[in-house]
Amino acid sequence: MTSENDAANRPAQADSPGLDASTETSRSWDHIGAIIVDATLQRRQNYHETVKPRVDALIAAWPDAASTSGFRRHLDTGKLSEVIDWPSPGRLAQVEDITRVFEGQGIETVVELRGALGDPARRSVLREALAAVRHVSPKTLDYIETLSGISAGGDGEERVLGE
């Protein structure tokens, strides 16, 4: 059964490969806050016009939010909506929920996130915890992996981008 809200629950499509298919590999961040905000905002939004400028603003305003604890300190100020110019309480709640998952999983840095995603047992637990967050679909889970620098190769093996 489908409903009008089904489309709202699907993440935005990644950039279509055109003449230069490298645009997707450019979507990785070495900043936990950037990964969380990008993954949250991307649903049904234009990446280059809406998402990327807000993620760039977040990194510029909160460079120490590259760690989960740094991001948490800033989240607790209640100023995220101002920093990323995003008034929607639903998306802001989703940022909070994803941050709580990372905290609960002991993920502090992007390197630790990649490590968790690279370990089959931890990956399964992490993906299950993230999937419990509203609007986090299997495509969003895959997108978080891309944002953390992990890419699935054609042979099904995951690789850290740039290696």
Side-chain angles (χ1 to χ4, degrees):
M1 176 178 197
T2 61
S3 72
E4 291 177 20
N5 290 333
D6 285 350
N9 293 327
R10 288 191 301 261
Q13 294 296 318
D15 289 341
S16 300
L19 295 176
D20 179 9
S22 67
T23 55
E24 188 60 32
T25 61
S26 68
R27 286 198 199 181
S28 65
W29 303 104
D30 192 26
H31 190 284
I32 285 284
I35 290 172
I36 294 169
V37 169
D38 190 323
T40 300
L41 296 184
Q42 56 77 34
R43 182 172 36 92
R44 299 184 69 204
Q45 300 297 321
N46 179 291
Y47 184 77
H48 294 288
E49 292 179 18
T50 304
V51 180
K52 188 170 185 323
R54 285 170 168 82
V55 175
D56 288 340
L58 173 82
I59 293 169
W62 296 352
D64 59 327
S67 66
T68 302
S69 58
F71 190 54
R72 164 58 64 204
R73 280 190 298 277
H74 286 289
L75 279 182
D76 288 348
T77 67
K79 299 200 180 287
L80 178 63
S81 65
E82 294 170 29
V83 170
I84 65 171
D85 189 25
W86 195 273
S88 166
R91 304 263 179 139
L92 298 173
Q94 186 180 6
V95 166
E96 176 69 38
D97 292 343
I98 291 172
T99 303
R100 273 197 210 107
V101 169
F102 285 2
E103 290 169 330
Q105 296 291 315
I107 295 168
E108 181 68 12
T109 66
V110 176
V111 169
E112 291 175 3
L113 176 59
R114 277 195 301 262
L117 293 169
D119 175 325
R122 288 189 67 203
R123 180 178 187 266
S124 176
V125 171
L126 175 57
R127 285 177 65 101
E128 185 176 315
L130 287 169
V133 174
R134 188 165 189 232
H135 296 300
V136 175
S137 69
K139 287 183 180 179
T140 304
L141 295 172
D142 292 344
Y143 188 58
I144 289 171
E145 291 186 7
T146 298
L147 294 174
S148 70
I150 293 176
S151 174
D155 55 5
E157 294 294 315
E158 291 179 358
R159 295 181 181 85
V160 174
L161 295 175
E163 286 187 349

